[in-house]
Structures are given as C-alpha cells and as structure tokens.
Amino acid sequence: MKKISIIGSGILGLSIAEYLSRDKKNGTDIQIISTNNTLAGSYAAAANLATKGQLYGRDKHFQVKLDAKKCYQNWIENLLKEVKSEQNIKTVFKIGLGVDFFTSEFNRDKHYRRVKQNDDELRNKNLPIDFILKEGKRKIIYQQEGWVNSFILMQLLTDVLSKRKVNFINKQFTKIDLDKLSEVGHKHNIIFCTGAWTELLLRDLEIPIPEQMKKTKRMTVGTTFYGKNIFENYSEDYVLMEKIAENMKTKVTMSGPIENQSISSSTLKINDINIFNETELFEKNKELIKLCSESFANEPYLTKTNIKNLEYKTGVRIGYGHSELVIEKLNLKSEHTTGYVCAGAHKSGFLFAPMVGTLLEKLF
Ligand SMILES: Cc1cc2nc3c(=O)[nH]c(=O)nc-3n(C[C@H](O)[C@H](O)[C@H](O)COP(=O)(O)OP(=O)(O)OC[C@H]3O[C@@H](n4cnc5c(N)ncnc54)[C@H](O)[C@@H]3O)c2cc1C
C-alpha cells in the first residue's frame, strides 16, 4: 500500500489531499498532520481569484491560474455533490468582472499602460480582446476575475476528505515524526504544505532547503475584514473591486457578493514569523479602512456604522522571488520516503487550489 503524509492543512494541503484521494482504487492511504495555527494564511484570506494585470508579467504560473479559473466551477460543484450539500454554488464561487478605481484619469492611464495586453498574445491564450479595458475617466475593467468563499471552501474540502476517510492528525510535525515515517518498511511520500513555516521546519528536520526557496523571500502579515452588506454603491456586476489611492501604492481590494463581502490589502513586511509589530499593522489597517470609506463618484464606500460591524482575521503569507508557487522534490536521506514541498502562494493559494494536485503529481 502507498502511504502519503501531508503536513499542513491550509488550502494547499487540503487541495492536494483532495486530488490524491479521488481514486481510492490504488489503495493509497492518506493522512494530514497539522497544527491549527491561528496565523495560517488560508484562514485569513479574502479569497479573491485575481489574475488582473499579470498576463505577461514575470509570473510563470499564469497559464495555470487561467486553467484553474476554467475548472473552478466544476470542481466546487463536484465537491458539493459529494457531500450532498444544499449550498448554492453562487454563494461559494463566482466568476465575473473586476474593476479598478483611480483618483484621476492621469493615474488610471499610467496604470493602464502597465497592464494593457497585446491582442495577439490574448488570442494565443484564447482570451477575449477586451480582457482589460478603460472605462470612463477613472476605471479599468477586467474580464474573468473570480471570487470563492474561503471559509466554505475550506470546510467543504475538510468534509469531503473526512468522507473519503483521509485521516486528520492534529499535531506539530517534528524530527521524531520524520524519523518514524522513514523507518516504516513501505514507500511513503511526505508533502510539506506548511506555508510560511516551511523553511523553519525543513531546517529543524535537517532537510536541505530547495532551490526555489533560496530566492528573495516576501513574508507579510495582513488582515482581511469581513461583513454583510457593508458597502454603499456596491454593484453585483463585479466580483472584485480595487480602490487605488492617489499615491498609487496604497490600494484596497473589495471582493465577494453583497451578503459576504471582504476587504483586504494591508500588508506589513516581516522577517520573522514569530515577530511582528501589532501597532504598525493596526496603523496600516486604519489606512485601508480610510481608503474604503472615501467615496468618489459612484464608487463603493464604507459608512461609519458599517465599519463598526466588521469582523476581521489576521494571517501570514509567504512568496519566493517572482515564481508564485514553490513546488519541488526534496532531498531526503531515507530510501523509503520521498519528500515534496508545496508552499509560497503569496497572493493566490485559492486560485491554485484546483490545479495544485496535478502540478504536484507531475513530480511523482
Ligand atoms: C490577509 C491575507 C489575505 C489573503 N487574501 C488572499 C486572496 O484573496 N486570495 C488568495 O488566493 N490568497 C490570499 N491570501 C494568500 C493565501 O492565504 C495563501 O496563498 C494560502 O493561505 C497559502 O496556503 P498554504 O496552505 O500554503 O499555507 P497556510 O494556510 O499558512 O497553512 C499552513 C498550515 O501548516 C500548518 N503547520 C505549519 N507548521 C507545521 C508543523 N511543523 N506541523 C504541523 N503543521 C504545521 C499550519 O498550522 C497551517 O495549518 C491571503 C493571505 C493573507 C494573509
């Protein structure tokens, strides 16, 4: 029997487990070993599925993201069906328009020059020519943006995996656990999906750090605010709205349908996962809420009463260089065990979710 241990139960760990447990005929035995760290990024994510303005950027996973958006709806529908959920797909996932609001035409045009895509490239990727369009004087409209309810998706994946008899073990994975797994006589795959904790853990386990994780690290702590009916002027035509401040650096993303909206953006760079300045984060969050409360013509804005009703969640995320996702085989000493790492989706763990299992399987 093949045995697979997935370390970490964030969106990447759960999605990989979902993919690998689809076909139980080959007798694979899957377990997920994880702590419930309150700072895990997956529990603080908005979760918008944004690809806007990344088409020919340095993002080597762009095509994967486009493919993920195409199969998202089916993926969610199948998960709902499997656990016989009554949940309407529209409350979980929606694909639609995204919009950026700028303070001036000058700023809008400046940004448009950066994100505008070449028609031939769009055709090559089977994307509409109006993928990114200027509208009026201060808007840019993006096609095929997406949104998924992160809480429902995480719960749904957990329910599906429990139904498929995937074993959940709530514990901190340590060197003792690695040694135990390596002793077992049969073949064992260990997949590390431990988010921002991955590097620390691999060092503790004395596993060489994979090449892609040696690139410049972006570790940030951020907050997502949630609420119901929180914006005035919020249009259901859009699944994603971004307000960009006059300085073009501060921006805030509003996503989701009216009954379940989220606001995210503020991030604070940190060097150590265990240390961050709460006051500094609080100040950043104040800036974010202020931007959301400013109203330009017909833009959504938060009122003082609505601000009071916001709930929030803070989490940590990590990225390495410009490659959004680190997915690599590890160099383990044991001959029975093969190790893999899947981490580092700084902004888009939820966008990778339906594709990450396929990507990993290519390494097997
Ligand atoms: C404020 C904020 C907003 C975001 N918004 C979005 C968004 O809108 N859309 C989007 O796609 N992404 C968003 N992200 C990014 C998203 O959260 C990440 O891409 C995603 O969480 C990465 O998932 P993961 O599974 O790699 O890691 P995590 O979610 O961090 O999960 C890692 C898991 O590993 C466990 N773990 C760690 N070490 C050990 C150990 N030694 N033993 C056992 N278990 C261990 C942790 O407890 C945790 O459960 C946001 C992130 C933040 C912080």
Side-chain angles (χ1 to χ4, degrees):
M1 182 189 275
K2 268 199 281 181
K3 217 168 158 42
I4 295 177
S5 291
I6 294 168
I7 321 302
S9 61
I11 185 64
L12 296 183
L14 294 180
S15 304
I16 287 174
E18 187 282 314
Y19 179 83
L20 297 177
S21 61
R22 276 181 207 174
D23 182 10
K24 294 290 264 182
K25 278 179 284 201
N26 58 15
T28 310
D29 178 19
I30 301 178
Q31 61 179 5
I32 299 182
I33 304 173
S34 186
T35 50
N36 294 321
N37 200 304
T38 50
L39 285 177
S42 305
Y43 296 89
N48 63 65
L49 310 174
T51 38
K52 59 201 195 70
Q54 299 175 11
L55 193 49
Y56 323 116
R58 293 163 287 193
D59 182 2
K60 70 170 186 172
H61 289 113
F62 187 76
Q63 190 58 49
V64 176
K65 292 177 178 177
L66 291 181
D67 294 345
K69 276 192 195 170
K70 280 186 206 139
C71 62
Y72 228 107
Q73 172 128 356
N74 259 346
W75 186 52
I76 302 275
E77 274 171 352
N78 286 337
L79 296 176
L80 290 171
K81 222 183 274 169
E82 189 166 338
V83 289
K84 299 190 174 64
S85 167
E86 302 277 302
Q87 198 93 42
N88 184 329
I89 179 89
K90 285 191 187 139
T91 61
V92 190
F93 167 75
K94 195 174 163 189
I95 204 111
L97 295 175
V99 56
D100 281 354
F101 296 102
F102 296 85
T103 52
S104 66
E105 191 171 358
F106 176 81
N107 277 355
R108 191 275 308 271
D109 290 349
K110 193 171 155 191
H111 191 71
Y112 182 74
R113 283 193 292 276
R114 282 209 338 241
V115 297
K116 188 185 160 2
Q117 314 292 337
N118 170 290
D119 286 356
D120 289 337
E121 287 283 351
L122 289 170
R123 278 191 209 97
N124 286 345
K125 298 205 180 301
N126 277 330
L127 289 167
I129 300 301
D130 58 353
F131 195 64
I132 299 177
L133 278 186
K134 283 186 192 180
E135 194 175 280
K137 294 195 168 176
R138 294 193 293 102
K139 286 190 212 166
I140 300 178
I141 307 286
Y142 302 85
Q143 302 259 4
Q144 295 176 16
E145 291 304 331
W147 167 86
V148 66
N149 185 319
S150 53
F151 297 115
I152 297 183
L153 178 55
M154 297 292 287
Q155 190 54 53
L156 191 55
L157 285 167
T158 309
D159 293 347
V160 165
L161 293 173
S162 306
K163 192 161 182 268
R164 292 185 196 166
K165 308 242 177 316
V166 168
N167 196 12
F168 283 85
I169 301 166
N170 185 352
K171 82 185 286 288
Q172 176 95 11
F173 189 82
T174 61
K175 183 92 172 64
I176 300 169
D177 299 300
L178 180 67
D179 291 343
K180 262 194 213 153
L181 294 184
S182 310
E183 275 167 17
V184 186
H186 43 67
K187 292 269 176 226
H188 200 131
N189 284 342
I190 307 180
I191 306 162
F192 293 93
C193 303
T194 36
W197 293 269
T198 308
E199 204 180 325
L200 277 180
L201 178 60
L202 295 182
R203 286 193 199 285
D204 280 352
L205 302 176
E206 294 164 18
I207 298 173
I209 302 298
E211 278 313 305
Q212 293 179 72
M213 281 177 62
K214 290 181 186 157
K215 292 180 185 163
T216 327
K217 194 163 56 182
R218 274 176 300 156
M219 185 151 62
T220 56
V221 59
T223 305
T224 299
F225 293 86
Y226 308 90
K228 227 180 198 184
N229 273 321
I230 50 178
F231 291 107
E232 305 292 323
N233 285 344
Y234 194 81
S235 162
E236 283 280 30
D237 293 342
Y238 301 101
V239 288
L240 207 88
M241 301 187 181
E242 204 151 79
K243 269 193 180 183
I244 292 112
E246 178 56 30
N247 65 15
M248 298 283 274
K249 285 189 181 128
T250 316
K251 54 186 184 176
V252 59
T253 312
M254 301 160 272
S255 50
I258 275 175
E259 66 281 4
N260 189 345
Q261 290 164 335
S262 41
I263 308 168
S264 65
S265 165
S266 84
T267 49
L268 203 64
K269 276 193 185 155
I270 54 172
N271 293 319
D272 182 331
I273 193 162
N274 298 312
I275 304 170
F276 67 89
N277 186 328
E278 301 255 5
T279 319
E280 219 178 314
L281 182 66
F282 182 74
E283 288 305 317
K284 280 257 181 186
N285 284 339
K286 266 190 4 202
E287 207 180 323
L288 172 159
I289 296 293
K290 184 168 170 283
L291 186 54
C292 266
S293 319
E294 286 165 359
S295 110
F296 318 123
N298 283 332
E299 282 169 28
Y301 68 97
L302 270 171
T303 61
K304 278 197 176 133
T305 337
N306 289 344
I307 293 171
K308 278 194 204 135
N309 296 330
L310 293 176
E311 290 184 39
Y312 66 93
K313 185 86 180 57
T314 292
V316 179
R317 53 186 167 189
I318 195 151
Y320 298 92
H322 294 295
S323 40
E324 271 274 315
L325 194 68
V326 170
I327 190 152
E328 214 173 301
K329 199 166 171 178
L330 292 169
N331 195 358
L332 295 192
K333 284 178 202 143
S334 155
E335 56 183 90
H336 300 298
T337 40
T338 316
Y340 302 89
V341 67
C342 180
H346 189 256
K347 285 186 189 155
S348 23
F350 283 82
L351 186 46
F352 283 119
M355 296 297 294
V356 73
T358 326
L359 287 182
L360 185 89
E361 205 184 31
K362 285 186 189 154
L363 300 180
F364 279 8

